[in-house]
Amino acid sequence: LRVGFIRGVAFPASVRQALQDPELASLLVPLYANDLTLSALRGRRVDYVIDDPVTLLQRAERQEGEPLKVVLELAVSPVHLFVSRHVLQQRPELLKRLNQAIARARQRPEWQRVLARYPGVQG
């Protein structure tokens, strides 16, 4: 059994602790980029991968190959939008506009359909 994971990814504390277990650690195969998780899985170099399910499933749908299935959810984390201070200094109104746009988006019916793609996320 081999479990692929992206080298350098910051996992939540509970996942990090589980990954340090010697028995599980012996199964881990470090991969060097997100694109390698799908090719490693489909190429049978690993049996499972730890990756963002939405991103991986979307990539899998765009490429030929067997469909993927999420078999275990290790952790659910919020999605963040990052804006650099440099950009905010150049465009001080940007943060306010982004927050307003997100508030408007949450009012649309499509918002719940998008959130339904992310298991465990509440809108």
Side-chain angles (χ1 to χ4, degrees):
L1 187 68
R2 297 158 311 215
V3 180
F5 72 100
I6 302 165
R7 172 178 255 149
V9 168
F11 293 107
S14 60
V15 176
R16 278 195 317 269
Q17 184 177 8
L19 295 177
Q20 291 172 354
D21 176 88
E23 189 174 338
L24 180 56
S26 68
L27 306 175
L28 296 176
V29 176
L31 302 169
Y32 295 93
N34 285 58
D35 292 339
L36 294 180
T37 57
L38 181 58
S39 62
L41 190 59
R42 285 189 168 158
R44 309 267 191 263
R45 291 185 301 281
V46 296
D47 303 297
Y48 298 93
V49 294
I50 301 172
D51 201 343
D52 172 59
V54 175
T55 303
L56 188 61
L57 291 171
Q58 185 178 37
R59 284 197 329 258
E61 287 176 6
R62 285 194 235 150
Q63 297 178 15
E64 288 188 28
E66 63 186 289
L68 302 183
K69 180 179 178 184
V70 176
V71 295
L72 176 64
E73 192 171 299
L74 295 176
V76 175
S77 62
V79 175
H80 298 277
L81 176 65
F82 293 91
V83 181
S84 73
R85 286 187 181 141
H86 175 73
V87 170
L88 291 177
Q89 287 172 349
Q90 289 180 329
R91 300 185 58 197
E93 81 292 350
L94 182 61
L95 189 58
K96 181 179 177 182
R97 290 181 60 212
L98 285 170
N99 286 331
Q100 289 171 341
I102 291 170
R104 283 192 308 272
R106 285 182 170 166
Q107 302 305 313
R108 299 182 62 154
E110 295 89 354
W111 184 262
Q112 291 305 317
R113 287 195 297 270
V114 170
L115 291 182
R117 295 180 185 175
Y118 293 85
V121 173
Q122 298 174 5

